[in-house]
Amino acid sequence: MQALVYTDTQKLIYREEKNPKLINGESIVKVSASGICGSDMHAYHGKDERRIPPLILGHEVSGIIDKGKEIGKKVVLNPLITCGSCGYCKNGREHLCSKRIILGMNKPIERQGGFADYVSIPDKNIYELPKNLNMHEAPIAEPCAVALHAVELGEKNIYKKMEDCKTLIIGAGAIGLLCGLILSKIKYCKNIIIVDPNDKRLKESLKYLDANGFKPDSKKITSDHFDLVFDTVGLESTRQQAIRCINPGGIIIHIGLTQPSGTFNFRKTTLQEITFIGTYCYTNKDFEKTLNILNNKKIGSLKWIEYRKLKEGSLAFKEIHNGSCASPKIILLNS
Ligand SMILES: [Zn+2]
Ligand SMILES: [Zn+2]
């Protein structure tokens, strides 16, 4: 098969690779579309110890079952593979399973990803493509589940109605935009501000999201003001903004992990009862809920997605890296 292989830092080559072999309890999916995620970019920059080259990246995948129990079925994949038998898995918090792995990772266990003609996946991670969801758009289910999980963690922990919350979203990438769309269209939040240094991307997001958008250093972003802050970037500077801007009693939801460590204002966190929530992936239930949301068009048009050919995927990575790309999400198409 052909695959887009991550071979070295900032290097991807479209080349011939061995087809995955069918193993018990799994299926081989002929990939139709696969999204480029922030975590793929992280790997591309040589900064992900779980993704070591050579490796086929990509975990946001839709396609058709080619080998396995239900050949010909159109599907979307939940790339988070868990053990199914530990305490977390049994209690609906599979995403915290200590044996969890994701497609397109090779440490500690190898799982080749979706930027290829074929990918192998456990049957329990396969979901039927919802009727009203287009095969090319379907990879958005994965980041959408991440955003839904994050928003609902905020909702569970805030002492206010979501619709009354003043919300700041840091980062207008796919996760930032999806959090915004869920907040606005599903949780009816009316007061949303989104910030991003990339003007083009910010403008593009604001075509679809009912929010005010600014550069991160804008004077409009006031201190001690927001009930909810979503840091979808995870840089030292964005975390500092989050802690500066959060209201007493407010909640910071930390989704991005660009810089894994830095300083933190523990004084403010303590004296003003700030809740800081780290969030990772989603539960199986979140994933199912997301498919339902997308099937019912609850977050509106997905025209903000941009499409490229898989074989030209290397160029798409370069554009995302350069910041010359306006779209919050690029999905690679196999044909
Ligand atoms: Zn992703
Ligand atoms: Zn488990």
Side-chain angles (χ1 to χ4, degrees):
M1 67 172 183
Q2 295 297 114
L4 185 70
V5 186
Y6 164 51
T7 55
D8 204 343
T9 304
Q10 296 191 36
K11 212 167 182 183
L12 291 161
I13 301 173
Y14 187 71
R15 70 182 187 195
E16 185 66 31
E17 285 286 305
K18 271 193 203 135
N19 278 36
K21 279 201 187 98
L22 185 64
I23 57 172
N24 210 0
E26 302 210 358
S27 294
I28 308 280
V29 172
K30 185 175 194 312
V31 178
S32 299
S34 49
I36 302 177
C37 177
S39 57
D40 294 318
M41 292 310 296
H42 209 55
Y44 178 73
H45 292 130
K47 286 186 182 146
D48 191 335
E49 58 203 18
R50 299 168 305 174
R51 295 171 169 98
I52 307 297
L55 172 69
I56 304 170
L57 298 167
H59 56 266
E60 305 170 357
V61 184
S62 66
I64 297 171
I65 298 183
D66 184 70
K67 289 193 179 86
K69 281 193 205 120
E70 296 182 279
I71 294 172
K73 187 172 170 180
K74 290 181 178 172
V75 296
V76 48
L77 308 187
N78 174 354
L80 185 66
I81 301 162
T82 56
C83 83
S85 55
C86 72
Y88 290 110
C89 285
K90 280 190 172 153
N91 291 299
R93 300 185 84 197
E94 308 84 359
H95 61 305
L96 302 179
C97 172
S98 66
K99 296 205 171 89
R100 72 189 185 197
I101 41 168
I102 293 187
L103 282 188
M105 261 188 202
N106 52 4
K107 293 282 175 278
I109 299 163
E110 183 182 311
R111 263 286 163 189
Q112 296 291 335
F115 295 150
D117 288 336
Y118 298 95
V119 69
S120 181
I121 180 101
D123 290 330
K124 67 179 167 72
N125 289 68
I126 299 178
Y127 290 79
E128 186 167 17
L129 181 76
K131 252 198 284 153
N132 301 321
L133 184 61
N134 173 306
M135 183 72 107
H136 289 173
E137 291 175 345
I140 208 66
E142 201 269 345
C144 194
V146 173
L148 180 73
H149 185 72
V151 167
E152 294 195 335
L153 274 176
E155 187 179 25
K156 258 180 231 159
N157 288 284
I158 194 87
Y159 282 84
K160 251 183 165 176
K161 278 195 196 144
M162 288 295 268
E163 56 229 68
D164 299 331
C165 285
K166 287 171 283 187
T167 304
L168 174 67
I169 300 169
I170 304 175
I175 298 293
L177 175 58
L178 285 163
C179 282
L181 291 171
I182 291 166
L183 285 162
S184 153
K185 291 180 189 286
I186 297 175
K187 307 295 179 189
Y188 308 110
C189 293
K190 292 175 271 306
N191 200 331
I192 302 172
I193 287 181
I194 185 164
V195 295
D196 197 295
N198 180 341
D199 257 337
K200 280 199 261 180
R201 196 160 77 162
L202 187 60
K203 251 191 211 143
E204 179 66 13
S205 297
L206 290 170
K207 281 190 208 160
Y208 301 89
L209 176 63
D210 188 10
N212 289 308
F214 303 103
K215 289 242 185 201
D217 56 3
S218 161
K219 296 254 157 41
K220 298 264 167 65
I221 316 300
T222 33
S223 298
D224 308 312
H225 178 76
F226 296 92
D227 303 301
L228 286 167
V229 177
F230 292 83
D231 183 352
T232 72
V233 183
L235 280 169
E236 169 71 1
S237 59
T238 57
R239 270 190 298 271
Q240 292 306 327
Q241 177 164 51
I243 187 79
R244 198 169 51 245
C245 294
I246 197 77
N247 234 350
I251 297 176
I252 297 170
I253 316 272
H254 194 250
I255 317 174
L257 204 50
T258 311
Q259 269 173 354
S261 61
T263 55
F264 197 72
N265 188 343
F266 292 106
R267 186 179 163 80
K268 178 172 176 181
T269 312
T270 307
L271 297 183
Q272 302 191 353
E273 282 200 359
I274 307 301
T275 306
F276 182 92
I277 302 178
T279 170
Y280 179 79
C281 279
Y282 41 80
T283 66
N284 291 347
K285 247 202 190 118
D286 293 327
F287 196 81
E288 285 158 26
K289 229 163 139 180
T290 300
L291 291 178
N292 197 272
I293 285 170
L294 293 170
N295 192 38
N296 293 308
K297 312 281 176 207
K298 284 196 185 150
I299 57 165
S301 160
L302 298 172
K303 292 235 166 69
W304 44 271
I305 300 171
E306 226 176 271
Y307 299 95
R308 304 290 168 80
K309 288 186 182 134
L310 175 66
K311 61 178 170 204
E312 288 153 17
S314 166
L315 199 65
F317 270 76
K318 262 198 196 109
E319 277 178 48
I320 298 172
H321 166 74
N322 295 338
S324 58
C325 175
S327 174
K329 174 62 78 182
I330 293 183
I331 288 180
L332 302 176
L333 303 179
N334 289 56
S335 57

